[in-house]
Structures are given as structure tokens and as C-alpha cells.
Amino acid sequence: MQANRVSTNSFLVLAAEVIDLIMRFALVIFTARLLGDESFGKISFAIAFTSLFLILSDLGLNHLLIREIARGPARVKELIGSGLVIKLILAAATFILIFMAAQFTNKPTNVLHAVYIMGAALIVGSFGDFFTTVFQGFQRMKYEAVASFTMSTSNTLIGVVILYLGGGVVALSWVYLISRLLRLAYCIASVGFKFTPIQLVYDKTLIKYFLKEGTGFAVTRFFSMIYTYVDTTLLSLMVGDAAVGWYNAAYRLIFAMMVFPMAVTRAVYPALASYYTSNLEQFRNLFTKTFKLLFVAGTLLATFLSILSQKIIVTLFGQEYINAALPLSILAWSTAIYSIGTVMTHTTRACGRQNYTAKVVGASAVINLVANLVLIPKYSYVGAAFATMMSEFITFTFHLGYVNRKIVNVAFLKLLPKIIVINLGTAATLRLLIDFNLFISCGLALPISVGLVLVTRIFSKEELAALQDTIKSVKAFRR
């Protein structure tokens, strides 16, 4: 039953994330085309700058709550109530800090207004994330799927209308806030009616536990935010808005492509946490299958993106953004590294080893910051892309050794020869089709990639048959 639920959750989260990906990326394309590279760079700066402070509104609560609810669902009322006390205080402090820090950026008034509104939007969004921990902890992902759909569709539809009516950076920032308010309203209603009454609970012991145990999660998330958004912020402050626009055309595409590993790891994380304390054999099996799936998917995606980068940028964003092609080809491989690295970082958290991940991610973030400061003045957005890939590689390398020694065997070297064959075959096919239309190239190359996956037998017959079981489990889950 637990295995079926993991499959169901993976399917539901992935479906929701795919819809969210399509809607959000549609808005990115419309924004980039209708606002132009400089204004697109300004809204990208507002998002990146405020995101640097977002961890202060969370302090690792979300990952910790998912784990604790998964292990003890009967305590959900106390867990959520005590967490909410911390959350409210942190949210207020975060907005004040964003407001104060923005004064030192020397940005024009309209950009500052966008920063304030976007800061409020991201904090409201973090409250939505807080309540979705209940859905994840109970492994009832259909509620999270609806929440995600509510936000992404409202954000995109309202945003496109606003842009066509001539709205600029500030107006678009309001759209982000409205869509997150709608999602939060749904999450509060769903949690309150379906799972537990929502009320503040001042449990001093539990609050102390949250603050202590959440430190590892918080440090990890903080440094993740650093090397996710510091490049855009530094580009804006050191180079200019046009460079930010080009870089974010590539970066937003890459971030959108991370939807698959994000969805899969979010779906399996509660089960990994539960299995680790109850069934180590199931834990090992789930980890191995997840790692293999994301190894194949991540590297294939990187191959497609890197070889077709120029065609992709021109097709989606227009000739104005052609400078984004080179950073896209570099960032594509950071996606591959992230895909397999995120399995291991979620595994350490599920096993209560989040402090190790915090140290590694912290070191990677410091290296990323230094690399950006050195490379951006000389190489602009290309330097930022290299710094991002370097950070992902460091995080992956250290986790590969640690997880393999301390937690579970990681079949990286065993899978690597087949991965190389699959991707070399795909790359050769794409090179032969490079003169064709983008969609024709992808349409002809994709079956070749699937064929190579089957020929190499990287997946067992049981794993290939899992899709059918997933579909059946989704139908049963809905009933």
C-alpha cells in the first residue's frame, strides 16, 4: 500500500508540476517578449533579490514538519500550531529586512516598488508552502496538486492579460502577490476542513525543538538560495539589466526543467523518512530506483538543451535573446548534476543527517559567491553560468561519497557506462538533425533516446512496468 501511494504521489506531484511548468514558463516567455530584455532583467532582479531573504521566513520548518508529520500524524495539530507561531514572527522580520536592504541597491523607484511587492508575494507564498507540509506529511498530494494549479494558472492568466494591457514591472509584481494569496486561501481551507483545526499553539518545548532541529535544514536552504539567486543579483548590480535579461532567459528555462527532479524527490521524501525508521530494505529500493530514474532523465535533458540551445532560445524568446544560448548550454549540465544530487540531499534529510548537507551546501554557496565576484566582472553572464555549474558539482561530489559510505550504496559508477552510451547516441542523433526545425529535431531524436534506454537495459522489466502500476494506483487512490 505504501509503495502504491509513493507511485501515486509521484504521478500527482509530477502532473501538477508539469502544469505549473507550462503555465509559469508561458508567463516567462510573454514577459521576456513583451517587456524586452532590460525590463525582464528588472523583474528578474526583484524576484532574485527578495528570494535571497526568503529562508528567514522559514528557518527549515517545512522540511522538518514534513518529516515529523510523516512519522507522527496524530500530532499534526500541535506541530502546525507551534510552527505557525514561529512562522508569523519570522515573516514580519523578513519583510522588514527586505525593505531595509533594498535601500542600499540604488535602484530606481519603480524597481524598489517591485521589490517590496515581490517580497510580500514570496512571503505569502512561503505560508502556502508551510500549509502544504500537511499534505506532504500525510502523503495526500492531490491537495498540493490543486494548490499548485490554483497559483500557476491565476499567475499566468492574469499576468498575460496585464502585460497585453501595457502593464510593466510593478503591475506584474502585483499579479505574483494575488496568485499566491489565492493559493494560500485554498491551503488554509483544505488543512482546516480535511486534516486539522488551525490555531496557534504555544508549546515551548516543541518550539525549541523546531528551532534546534530546523537549523540544519535552514542553513542548507539559506545557502541554496545564495547560489540560486546571487548570480542574478550581482549581474544586475555589476553589469546591467540587459545582461540579467539574457541570463535569466537561460536560467528560467533551466529552472523550469528542474520540475521533474523536484517533483520526484518531493514525492518520495516522506516515504524515505518513514522507511528509514521502519523498513531499510524498502528504503534502499526506493532510493536506488529514484536515483536511476533521475540519472537517466537529467543527463538526457542536458544533452538536448546543450546541443539545441541556440534554436531553443531563438524559438522561445526571439532573436533579441540570442546571447542567452551560451549560458543555456552551460547551465544545462548543472541541471543534470542537480537531478542526481537532489536525490542524495533529500536522503540525508530524511535520515536526520541534514547537518552534513548544510555544511556542504554552505561551502558550495561560499565558493559560488566568490566565483561570481571573480567571473562576472570579466565574463558577465557566461561567468555566472560557470559559477552555478561549479556549485552543483561540488554539492553532488561530496554527497556521493557521504551517502555511499554512511547511508546506502549509490550505483553511480555501475550506471555510468550505460548513461554515456545513451547520451552519446542521443548527441550524435541531434547533431545529424541540427539543421531541421527545433520540434522536428526533438521529435525524431526522442524515440532514438528511448530506444537506447531500452537497448542498454538500464531499467529492469519490473521498473518499466511500474508506469502501469502507477496508473492503477492513481485510480484506486481517487476511489
Side-chain angles (χ1 to χ4, degrees), residues 125 128-129 132 147-148 150-151 179-187:
D129 294 339
T132 62
S148 175
T150 299
M151 183 179 74
S179 63
R180 281 150 182 78
L181 284 169
L182 292 173
R183 174 183 178 238
L184 177 60
Y186 170 81
C187 290

Side-chain angles (χ1 to χ4, degrees), residues 126-148:
S126 76
F127 273 96
D129 294 339
F130 173 82
F131 287 108
T132 62
T133 61
V134 177
F135 309 147
Q136 295 179 58
F138 279 93
Q139 300 184 55
R140 301 291 298 278
M141 298 304 195
K142 63 182 181 181
Y143 293 100
E144 183 172 1
V146 174
S148 175

Side-chain angles (χ1 to χ4, degrees), residues 326-341:
L326 181 54
L328 176 60
S329 64
I330 298 168
L331 289 169
W333 291 100
S334 71
T335 307
I337 299 168
Y338 172 84
S339 294
I340 50 179

Side-chain angles (χ1 to χ4, degrees), residues 418-438:
K418 293 182 178 181
I419 292 291
I420 292 174
V421 169
I422 291 169
N423 284 278
L424 283 178
T426 299
T429 304
L430 288 170
R431 293 301 304 176
L432 290 173
L433 299 170
I434 196 68
D435 293 328
F436 287 87
N437 173 277
L438 173 64

